[in-house]
Amino acid sequence: MSEKFIEEMIKKSLFYHRFIYIFQIIYIVYLNLAGMGLSNVFTYLSVGVILGSWMIDKIYHTNRKKVKRKSVSIKCAIQILLFSACMYYPNVTVMAYIPFLVFSLVLIFEDTIFNNIYDDYNIMVRRVIYIILLSAGAIGSFLDFSDATRAFGGFALSVIASVTILYVLHLFSESIGELDKKANEYYFDKMSLDEDRKKLIVFQDRVKSVNDEINLQKINLMKANSNLENMNKEVRSLIEVMKEFSSSFDVRKNVRKMMENILDVKNAGMCGMFINKDVFYNKEPFMDIIGQNEENQVALRADFEKLYNIVRDRKSPNPIVLINNMDYKEKFIKGTNICNAIAFPAYENDHYYGVMVVASNKYDFFESGYSFYESSLMDFTTALRSVRLYLQMEDMARKDGLTSIYNRAYFNESYKKIVKNVLDEKLRLTVALMDIDKFKSINDTYGHLAGDEVIKMVAGMDNKYAEKNGGIAVRYGGEEFLMILTGKGLDESIEILKEMHKEIRTTKVKYDNLSIDINTSVGVASYPDTTTNIDEVLDRADRAMYYSKEHGRGHIVIDGKEEESYNNIQDL
């Protein structure tokens, strides 16, 4: 039996002992008062023994946790000894012995139950001692040697009672032992079941853990598959964009294609690109923004060039976090619905030529990294090199090697387009043909190298005023130059030509220690101011220039007004 069960049983037995003691006292007193042959001395002795036994229980109950469980045998032996002393009292009615005998048997049973029931030897010894103690009183009471029959009867009764009690105790002990054995079997079976249950719980936990791990692996696999699909989509899109780049030499179109691809693949809210001037023969910085309304685009455009200056001065290829989940890291791109924005430097070798900004109104938009955007810029930069090489070769084919302005071949190719555009858009067109006066004399006097410097100076002036006024400058022949002004009438063009003509005449060409004065003859024709036939404009400008050369040189002559313009402009 378990320690816990025995402790509970001892506690309950001590509780019930109190009622037995009370009953015994009442019973003894009743026998005395009823005249059942009990003397007052025996009554006092019995009550004293009962109270003593009660006190022993109380002491044991108070200190039983401090002593070993075997002390219950000592307690039972003392109590049985006390009761046996009462039973030894002579000439007492048998009825007085009954409560002491019954309670002594209860104590013997308790001693049997509350100790090791498998220790047969010790149990038997204790039982014999207890029976001897109980029998002593009976033998003392019944043994009367003056009456042989009574003495023999008392002795026989004691022996029979003792054997009977021992046999009953033996049966009881065996029954208790068998029950305890069964209880132990059940206990160990329960322990085994508990162990199995614990193992099953552990196994279930492991299975659950494995299932959780499998589910996690499934989630990770699904996420990896999704990431792989996204990566494949990104790679395919980059390949398609590269194909577009390879088939187009239009940088502006390529920029727009790259940004549209970013918006399509990444679902970005906004993408903008700034490219500094002179990157792809662009005279002014280029900027394009998509994905925002017009009001926001105005605000963004004001920030882009400042942001590019930071990127250029920073000289680092690492992206700049402008906004991170509404946390503004930089002062740019405020006042919009953007909550995430990154600036990506556009660079070629160590040259930072621009900046691209990608933004979104979604939280954690850039949690997958920046590689796609950086790859897009790298592909664009690679294409930009090819475009620049193509434009350089095209520019070399279009421009004069000495003066770097457009040559006659390019003029012959583009003039037809210019004429068509003027007619389609109903614009004005002015053509000025300019020739360096006495150029052969300059070559003969100062040499061809000096002559080349003169040509470059005049070409530079022609190009300066052409670009300033939205036109183009062309080296038409050896020392002849054209200025084509689209959208400008005769009067406006004459003012431009006056200013240029004056600057040429007042500018001295420095070569070695020489200072060479230059003058030019200019012929001007304009559509529809001097002719309504646009196909005659170039020829009329040529005739006007030759009129100036034949009438003293150094003048601006207007088609159809040769004499009038000659007299009015010759003193410029």
Side-chain angles (χ1 to χ4, degrees), residues 45-62:
L45 175 63
S46 298
V47 171
V49 167
I50 292 170
L51 292 176
S53 181
W54 192 342
M55 186 60 64
I56 291 172
D57 276 351
K58 187 173 182 181
I59 294 171
Y60 176 77
H61 176 71
T62 305

Side-chain angles (χ1 to χ4, degrees), residues 81-210:
L81 182 62
L82 290 174
F83 293 140
S84 297
C86 288
M87 293 171 64
Y88 188 76
Y89 195 87
N91 301 318
V92 178
T93 181
V94 175
M95 294 181 66
Y97 299 153
I98 293 175
F100 299 121
L101 181 61
V102 171
F103 189 63
S104 296
L105 293 175
V106 169
L107 292 174
I108 294 172
F109 286 137
E110 288 181 0
D111 182 47
T112 301
I113 294 172
F114 300 150
N115 280 289
N116 187 356
I117 61 175
Y118 300 107
D119 190 355
D120 294 335
Y121 176 76
N122 289 329
I123 290 175
M124 183 58 67
V125 170
R126 289 201 303 274
R127 287 174 185 169
V128 170
I129 293 173
Y130 294 153
I131 294 302
I132 291 173
L133 291 175
L134 291 175
S135 300
I139 293 172
S141 176
F142 289 108
L143 191 59
D144 187 356
F145 294 100
S146 62
D147 187 350
T149 303
R150 179 178 175 85
F152 177 78
F155 177 77
L157 180 62
S158 298
V159 171
I160 293 170
S162 299
V163 172
T164 302
I165 292 171
L166 286 174
Y167 177 68
V168 171
L169 287 175
H170 175 72
L171 291 178
F172 178 76
S173 178
E174 290 294 324
S175 300
I176 292 298
E178 187 64 24
L179 291 174
D180 191 59
K181 182 179 178 182
K182 293 290 185 181
N184 285 334
E185 290 177 357
Y186 291 141
Y187 174 77
F188 287 115
D189 287 343
K190 181 178 178 301
M191 290 288 290
S192 179
L193 289 174
D194 288 342
E195 288 296 324
D196 291 341
R197 184 176 61 82
K198 290 178 182 179
K199 290 178 181 178
L200 182 60
I201 292 173
V202 172
F203 179 74
Q204 289 175 338
D205 290 341
R206 289 179 180 176
V207 171
K208 183 177 181 300
S209 177
V210 170

Side-chain angles (χ1 to χ4, degrees), residues 307 310 320-323 327-334:
L307 185 57
I310 290 177
I320 302 174
V321 178
L322 303 177
I323 310 172
D327 181 11
Y328 287 83
K329 305 293 185 179
E330 297 287 345
K331 60 184 178 181
F332 304 103
I333 314 184
K334 290 189 176 182

Side-chain angles (χ1 to χ4, degrees), residues 12 49 173 206 225 230 318 320 330 347 406 505 514:
K12 289 180 180 179
V49 167
S173 178
R206 289 179 180 176
N225 288 335
N230 291 334
N318 296 325
I320 302 174
E330 297 287 345
Y347 60 94
Y406 291 113
R505 194 172 65 179
L514 302 174

